[in-house]
Amino acid sequence: MNISSFFSLFKTKQKTLKLPDSLLIKKLKEVSKRNNLSVYENITIYHHTQSFYIPLLILDPARGIYLFEYKEWSYDDLKNATVSKATNQDSSNKSLAYEKTHEFIKQKFNELTHHDGVPIYNYLLMENLNSDEYKHLDNSFKELLPYKKIMFNDSLESEILHKLQEIPFPSLPMPDEVNIIGNLLVQYLIFSKDKTMHIATQEQIRFIESATTGQETLSGNAYSGKTSSILLKAILESLRNPELKIIIIEPTTLACDILKQKLLNIIEYAIIEVDITLIEIITPIDLVNKHLAKLNKPQLEVILNIDDKLMNKNFNVADLIICDDSNLLSFEFIYYLKHIQKKSSLLLVNEHSDEESTFRFNKSFKTKELEVVFKRANQHAKALQIISSLLEENKSQDILVVSDNLSKRKLKDDLEYFIKDKAVLLDSSNNLISQDLDNLLLCSYSQISSMNSKFIILMDVADASLNEVEHAVNLAEDKAFVLYEDDCENVEALKKLSHTMI
């Protein structure tokens, strides 16, 4: 008998249970931690329209995937029972048929990576049965569920490790964790700017898996993965409840289009069925215009304005609204969001952490510490000098200049005359398809949402809000230059907050 593909059920169907926080589970987690095994609890694997729930999955980077089924059976439940292997067990959310799960996982790997993936092994967690009681069970039980495949409530950590390491090493090299888990659990798959794959961190996973109720807040610095995480959360919510209406708010049309492209890329890559018409990505003006249309009021065009009548009317526009970069939006709009979502769920995402934040991302995915350089000089002359110097060793698309509208137009003319390099005036009110982002970009503070670059040059810092200036600085991957002609409150605040001053 091939014990690596067993599953067990009695004639009375048992309900699949979520993993408890028990002593046995704690010992299993401790063994995994000490031996560099990755633990994933209460997960669901999605592929096409199918899904499989698994209480516990442990990845051994040297051997393969361990699947665990959890049962509450006690010795009294089993002592007079006989067990037989089911051949056509239903793989519903109330039971876990391992053989079908194996085929399901292999199919998913085959369609995504064109191979069977990695070896898969199965274990049973018996929380209410000890190893001595097991010896007195019927032989049919022992044949179908061998001793070495069961973790008992009295199993020592050494015994748990021994059972896991009895598995032989595979003959072929194992893929890395990103390629295994990333292709298996789409809800944890993050694509970086350069299209490489990453697995969500534990704090991101806790957020993605959480049930959003009422009004909550997610905070974290730039490059902490907030935007990627809210997109994965929206996808997972839709997979769990295909009828759920979700709206994601981004400050600009360009930011909306960038996020829509990420959404389509994930769904297409992962081969999952998500109704993207129920995940709407819009700007604040788009949302307000939906409300105005319902009231037969004139539409807004450029300037966001919350009419008093909007605050007096209910507007059940979505089951869940996620507002990204909420710290860049007006207090008036945030107050409006809280009003219309009183009876539904609202998640505000921002860069400012406080004690009231429901979730906080602490890890940064920047490859190096940000350097902030302050230069007191003629802004235009210094900007031209810095850009000219940077272009000696970097590409033009590595540079982003943030200023007011007048400065960016003047700088564009100067760049064309002095440096002969193409510079593009970014208009974030336009769609992504009409943008030319592979050049040196010039944009205003109100347009910078979802934009980042290796080098960012800030001008006219006194004329922007501190929120906007801080946000712009933190979007730099490598170095931010703050140019100013006179000291001001924003410059002083940035100096206190900056990592390095030159």
Side-chain angles (χ1 to χ4, degrees), residues 286-458:
D286 293 333
L287 178 66
V288 173
N289 279 339
K290 283 178 176 285
H291 200 169
L292 291 171
K294 182 181 178 182
L295 301 175
N296 295 317
K297 298 288 185 182
Q299 301 280 287
L300 302 178
E301 294 184 5
V302 179
I303 305 299
L304 179 64
N305 178 55
I306 307 298
D307 191 293
D308 289 342
K309 292 182 180 179
L310 298 179
M311 302 299 294
N312 297 324
K313 298 290 185 179
N314 293 329
F315 186 43
N316 300 319
V317 65
D319 301 298
L320 169 63
I321 290 182
I322 302 174
C323 183
D324 198 12
D325 287 337
S326 63
N327 55 295
L328 300 181
L329 302 176
S330 68
F331 173 79
E332 181 186 35
F333 178 71
I334 300 302
Y335 184 71
Y336 165 74
L337 278 184
K338 292 179 177 180
H339 168 71
I340 65 171
Q341 286 298 104
K342 280 181 181 178
K343 296 182 180 180
S344 299
S345 298
L346 172 64
L347 176 68
L348 300 176
V349 184
N350 61 60
E351 291 185 0
H352 299 296
S353 177
D354 55 50
E355 294 181 356
E356 296 181 359
S357 293
T358 316
F359 302 95
R360 168 72 187 174
F361 289 173
N362 296 298
K363 182 180 170 110
S364 173
F365 291 93
K366 282 188 178 179
T367 56
K368 61 182 294 186
E369 187 176 8
L370 173 63
E371 180 181 357
V372 183
V373 179
F374 293 88
K375 295 291 184 180
R376 183 172 182 173
N378 179 284
Q379 292 186 101
H380 288 275
K382 182 56 67 174
L384 288 170
Q385 179 188 358
I386 291 171
I387 292 170
S388 179
S389 176
L390 291 175
L391 287 174
E392 291 177 4
E393 297 182 356
N394 300 278
K395 299 176 182 178
S396 59
Q397 57 262 43
D398 291 333
I399 304 171
L400 173 65
V401 182
V402 190
S403 65
D404 64 22
N405 289 328
L406 182 61
S407 293
K408 71 179 185 182
R409 289 189 178 89
K410 184 177 184 303
L411 190 60
K412 181 179 186 298
D413 294 336
D414 291 342
L415 285 168
E416 292 177 351
Y417 182 79
F418 290 106
I419 299 179
K420 310 297 183 185
D421 201 79
K422 183 178 181 181
V424 173
L425 295 174
L426 183 71
D427 184 355
S428 62
S429 64
N430 285 337
N431 295 320
L432 178 61
I433 195 171
S434 63
Q435 305 283 347
D436 188 2
L437 302 183
D438 293 328
N439 291 285
L440 192 157
L441 298 177
L442 309 173
C443 71
S444 61
Y445 286 95
S446 62
Q447 298 177 326
I448 200 172
S449 180
S450 295
M451 303 301 298
N452 54 33
S453 191
K454 185 176 181 181
F455 303 102
I456 291 184
I457 300 171
L458 275 65

Side-chain angles (χ1 to χ4, degrees), residues 189-227:
L189 177 60
I190 294 176
F191 286 100
S192 64
K193 188 177 179 181
D194 62 1
K195 308 299 183 185
T196 56
M197 295 194 309
H198 302 276
I199 300 300
T201 64
Q202 285 302 311
E203 60 185 5
Q204 289 173 322
I205 289 174
R206 282 193 292 272
F207 163 73
I208 293 166
E209 290 283 355
S210 68
T212 302
T213 56
Q215 296 181 4
E216 299 180 342
T217 305
L218 166 65
S219 61
N221 294 328
Y223 294 91
S224 62
K226 299 188 303 297
T227 302

